[in-house]
Amino acid sequence: MHTRTAGASLFPDLEPLLEQVSKPIQYVGGELNSTVKDWHVGGDATVRWALMYPDAYEVGVPNQGSMILYEVLNEVPDALAERTYAVWPDMEALMRSAGVPQFTVDGHRAVGDFDVLGVSFSTELGYTNLLTALDLAGIPLHARDRVDGDTIVIAGGHAAFNPETIADFVDAAIIGDGEEAVLMVTDLIRAWKSEGMPGGRRELLLRLARTGGVYVPAFYEVTYLPDGRIQRIAPTEPGVPWRVSKHTVMDLDAWPYPKQPLVPLAESVHERMSVEIFRGCTRGCRFCQAGMITRPVRERSITGIGEMVEKGLAATGFEEVGLLSLSSADHSEIADITKGLADRYEGTNTGLSLPSTRVDAFNIDLANELTRNGRRSGLTFAPEGGSERIRKVINKMVTEDDLIKTVSAAYGAGWRNVKLYFMCGLPTETDEDVLQIAELAKRVIETGRQVSGRKDIRCTVSIGGFVPKPHTPFQWVGQLSADETDARLEKLRDAIRSDRRLGSSIGFRYHDGKPGIVEGLLSRGDRRVGAVIEQVWRDGGRFDGWSEHFSYDLWMASAEKAFAASPWPIDVDWYTTRERDESEFLPWDVVDSGLDKEWLWQDWLDAIDETEVDDCRWTPCFDCGVCPQMGTEIEIGPTGKVLLPLTVLGAGKAAMAEHSHA
């Protein structure tokens, strides 16, 4: 290969490869609202970020978190950010043979030329894709082998709340909200560069670690007990904290991103513009890591939402707006928001959607506002557990009657299909709890036929395997084995099919238990699991989140190889199906998510007792620890404001313009 200058475009080398791969358009860039800045935009102190979503373009490009950071960073005058995604195996092979390194889709620049590779993990199944990208970029796989001049690799996203599993491969991890954190890191790097990069990368990493908000695995030492459990994880440098705090952005109205959402060229998984209407959730579902780690609830105001929708639609031309959050119908002004938006966009092609709706927060008025423009897609609800008992265990406070009332209203109002999400393998679950799902689905169909007077009523039951996650009350629980999960799902399938009269109206979709075991290994793993990830990757593991690329046998064989060399009695079961006790030091205890470990343990005891806990958004505080420790507080409405019709605003502007010309 000819020598090239840092930051030069690789497109001339890349172009001949494009006609040989599937979906070449995903590597081309140039989307509406994308940004390519001059490489030397800030002179010698320019801070350059390559932002990676470690999955295919079509999954990564609509990712809200990555899109926000891309825009926030590119607004900084002397910084630049470009995007990179995982390349498909066909492209990987061609890039290796042609000597083309991992590149960004914006400027087609080599990822290894950037100061920082920021990788956002929403799921642990993207870890092998990170290794492919590092290898293609020419960045040493192991953080310990990197030298001055090598790109700094920083992990973020929900999966970074246990950074230990990938401690071998990342230089640092940022926990929590990224908006302010990436600006802080940018300031630090700029200052270090302006001073002439004293002390090299080690000094830069030390400065990051000493902020208290960035975890740098190299400055922590792990000691183990003879039985394989962790004795402790301790900092090895002065000024490096014992625990690293998560970042929480307050006042979402001050961060109205993305202002100009990207419009993908190739088809992507979400063809819509999304606005995050609030962050955090305090419903307290005990299986839900996202709800636990994003506390407290912070709502965007109704006027803030209206403005983001208006600007976003103008900037993109999308015809659907998704109102995003962990439980969108819980927004204190959701009725006014949906009515206001439906009024504004009535008679246009703009549709509204709520991606997930809680059974007890749904009402027909809300549904009718969402479908006023004639789009009526299926409704999705997530009771999560089949029996009343198991729903108490997981703190999903929804009764069977709540569900029946809700679906009967939906079928009565003209919906034909309802989708229900459940989990299998929940703590304390029995076969009976799972078989209740069949009874519930049959009752849903009977109710639908009754209220609508029609026979073409359908209900789809979707089931995922439960994976215990860090920072939840279930973080100590033994996971159900893949075989037991599969056996339970088989019984459920037979129970649904056995009913001739109703079974044919019930669709049944489920994942087998195998991917869940791998996810469990990665989500509750420690540094020793890094050897497994590397072994899988060396043996060809890629795109583990895709069923057609995922290989359970490969993971199990690689784990056996990697753990065989370990001086401790550890294996996949040790990380997945083993129960932990209260005193065990957990790998993610180095991360302070604000949740007190004692509170989580008490909530686990409440789960065993089938005791439900209310949502602290509407009740006094339950002392989970987040607000006092993180210096945050719940931010909710109502603001008492309403959305004014846009036509009135528009007419006003026109009248003013006329007036000024008079």
Side-chain angles (χ1 to χ4, degrees):
M1 289 269 315
H2 50 267
T3 53
R4 50 176 191 81
T5 50
S9 171
L10 299 165
F11 201 72
D13 300 324
L14 181 66
E15 198 171 18
L17 311 182
L18 294 177
E19 59 204 38
Q20 305 171 58
V21 296
S22 62
K23 299 195 186 164
I25 193 152
Q26 63 190 318
Y27 306 117
V28 173
E31 301 93 336
L32 183 62
N33 301 328
S34 61
T35 308
V36 182
K37 290 170 88 166
D38 176 38
W39 189 248
H40 298 289
V41 66
D44 292 344
T46 308
V47 181
R48 307 176 180 97
W49 288 75
L51 296 174
M52 178 175 197
Y53 190 84
D55 206 329
Y57 174 91
E58 64 206 70
V59 180
V61 86
N63 177 263
Q64 203 68 359
S66 307
M67 216 185 284
I68 289 170
L69 298 185
Y70 176 70
E71 208 170 288
V72 166
L73 285 164
N74 277 320
E75 281 186 2
V76 178
D78 55 2
L80 62 91
E82 299 194 6
R83 297 161 298 129
T84 187
Y85 303 101
V87 297
W88 284 112
D90 61 349
M91 181 57 126
E92 182 192 338
L94 287 170
M95 284 164 67
R96 288 188 187 284
S97 59
V100 174
Q102 179 80 21
F103 58 88
T104 59
V105 294
D106 297 293
H108 298 101
R109 290 159 166 161
V111 165
D113 290 349
F114 288 77
D115 298 306
V116 184
L117 172 61
V119 192
S120 181
F121 290 106
S122 349
T123 152
E124 297 82 3
L125 294 171
Y127 292 161
T128 50
N129 285 351
L130 166 67
L131 299 197
T132 306
L134 291 175
D135 192 50
L136 285 171
I139 300 168
L141 277 196
H142 294 132
R144 63 170 180 266
D145 297 330
R146 294 177 198 145
V147 295
D148 291 353
D150 281 334
T151 304
I152 302 272
V153 181
I154 303 182
H158 286 186
F161 272 78
N162 174 15
E164 280 295 284
T165 320
I166 47 172
D168 286 352
F169 316 115
V170 300
D171 294 300
I174 291 176
I175 318 298
D177 294 338
E179 291 93 331
E180 291 165 319
V182 294
L183 294 178
M184 174 199 77
V185 172
T186 302
D187 290 345
L188 257 164
I189 295 175
R190 180 195 300 111
W192 171 75
K193 279 186 153 188
S194 306
E195 293 162 28
M197 305 191 262
R201 71 185 278 123
R202 181 185 156 79
E203 168 67 20
L204 175 61
L205 289 170
L206 255 177
R207 290 185 187 187
L208 288 170
R210 284 177 176 150
T211 62
V214 180
Y215 181 64
V216 179
F219 300 138
Y220 291 82
E221 184 187 17
V222 188
T223 46
Y224 301 95
L225 297 164
D227 64 4
R229 289 176 305 149
I230 295 174
Q231 186 175 10
R232 68 173 200 167
I233 301 180
T236 56
E237 296 289 326
V240 172
W242 281 84
R243 301 183 78 203
V244 174
S245 299
K246 78 163 178 181
H247 297 262
T248 310
V249 166
M250 301 304 290
D251 185 13
L252 289 189
D253 281 344
W255 296 87
Y257 296 91
K259 298 171 184 171
Q260 299 203 300
L262 291 162
V263 182
L265 293 173
E267 200 176 310
S268 75
V269 287
H270 296 304
E271 299 283 331
R272 61 165 182 242
M273 186 207 108
S274 297
V275 172
E276 184 184 26
I277 63 174
F278 69 86
R279 207 171 273 185
C281 178
T282 40
R283 285 281 190 165
C285 299
R286 296 180 173 122
F287 57 84
C288 179
Q289 185 190 41
M292 291 287 169
I293 62 179
T294 57
R295 293 173 171 221
V297 171
R298 291 146 286 150
E299 284 187 356
R300 216 182 275 286
S301 69
I302 180 169
T303 42
I305 292 165
E307 201 168 309
M308 282 184 72
V309 170
E310 184 189 352
K311 288 186 171 156
L313 287 173
T316 60
F318 278 128
E319 292 186 347
E320 186 186 338
V321 178
L323 303 176
L324 293 191
S325 78
L326 289 171
S327 181
S328 296
D330 281 341
H331 192 292
S332 60
E333 300 183 282
I334 192 64
D336 294 337
I337 291 167
T338 48
K339 184 179 184 322
L341 289 173
D343 285 347
R344 274 190 171 185
Y345 297 104
E346 188 159 23
T348 69
N349 289 332
T350 306
L352 297 174
S353 66
L354 293 186
S356 66
T357 325
R358 282 184 60 98
V359 173
D360 49 349
F362 174 87
N363 61 58
I364 284 303
D365 295 341
L366 183 60
N368 287 337
E369 294 298 359
L370 291 173
T371 55
R372 213 195 293 173
N373 281 342
R375 298 182 184 204
R376 185 165 286 200
S377 50
L379 289 175
T380 301
F381 301 107
E384 311 289 1
S387 70
E388 208 87 356
R389 186 195 77 77
I390 204 80
R391 287 196 292 276
K392 284 185 174 148
V393 169
I394 62 178
N395 206 41
K396 188 89 188 184
M397 292 182 273
V398 171
T399 65
E400 187 164 326
D401 290 343
D402 288 337
L403 179 66
I404 296 304
K405 228 183 282 175
T406 299
V407 297
S408 95
Y411 286 130
W415 266 270
R416 294 280 161 264
N417 190 9
V418 167
K419 207 189 226 177
L420 302 175
Y421 271 117
F422 297 93
M423 276 190 282
C424 178
L426 290 161
T428 78
E429 180 186 272
T430 61
D431 287 358
E432 194 38 51
D433 292 312
V434 173
L435 291 173
Q436 283 290 306
I437 295 172
E439 297 313 307
L440 200 54
K442 290 172 193 173
R443 217 183 134 190
V444 164
I445 294 292
E446 286 197 301
T447 307
R449 287 178 180 175
Q450 215 174 326
V451 298
S452 68
R454 300 174 61 124
K455 277 274 188 276
D456 63 345
I457 292 297
R458 285 196 60 73
C459 159
T460 306
V461 170
S462 262
I463 305 208
F466 164 70
V467 178
K469 293 280 167 126
H471 308 284
T472 69
F474 292 160
Q475 63 183 5
W476 292 276
V477 178
Q479 197 174 339
L480 195 65
S481 74
D483 290 345
E484 289 172 288
T485 302
D486 293 348
R488 221 165 255 181
L489 290 172
E490 211 160 298
K491 286 179 186 163
L492 174 59
R493 193 186 55 203
D494 294 344
I496 290 174
R497 288 194 178 155
S498 65
D499 189 313
R500 289 268 164 79
R501 200 170 58 85
L502 302 170
S504 58
S505 299
I506 303 170
F508 186 49
R509 291 192 192 146
Y510 64 94
H511 293 291
D512 64 40
K514 290 173 176 173
I517 289 292
V518 172
E519 197 184 322
L521 168 70
L522 299 175
S523 74
R524 291 195 293 174
D526 52 47
R527 292 187 183 195
R528 297 168 293 188
V529 174
V532 180
I533 299 170
E534 187 174 340
Q535 188 63 57
V536 168
W537 175 76
R538 291 198 183 280
D539 292 340
R542 305 287 189 273
F543 288 95
D544 295 297
W546 295 68
S547 50
E548 62 266 41
H549 291 279
F550 173 78
S551 166
Y552 180 72
D553 295 342
L554 173 62
W555 274 93
M556 293 307 111
S558 301
E560 210 171 308
K561 266 188 235 174
F563 289 142
S566 164
W568 299 280
I570 53 174
D571 58 13
V572 172
D573 288 345
W574 192 86
Y575 285 102
T576 55
T577 57
R578 175 177 69 94
E579 296 276 338
R580 285 96 169 132
D581 63 31
E582 186 185 3
S583 62
E584 179 164 346
F585 189 101
L586 304 169
W588 52 92
D589 285 346
V590 292
V591 168
D592 184 4
S593 61
L595 296 158
D596 288 333
K597 208 172 171 182
E598 297 75 27
W599 179 82
L600 287 170
W601 181 260
Q602 184 53 52
D603 205 39
W604 163 231
L605 298 179
D606 286 344
I608 298 170
D609 291 343
E610 297 165 26
T611 303
E612 294 174 311
V613 177
D614 282 326
D615 183 342
C616 68
R617 192 184 331 196
W618 319 117
T619 63
C621 169
F622 292 113
D623 290 331
C624 73
V626 170
C627 292
Q629 273 167 227
M630 299 287 124
T632 56
E633 58 185 352
I634 294 174
E635 292 183 335
I636 57 171
T639 57
K641 295 184 174 164
V642 291
L643 288 180
L644 296 169
L646 288 179
T647 43
V648 173
L649 297 177
K653 279 183 199 152
M656 275 169 68
E658 240 167 74
H659 191 74
S660 62
H661 288 302

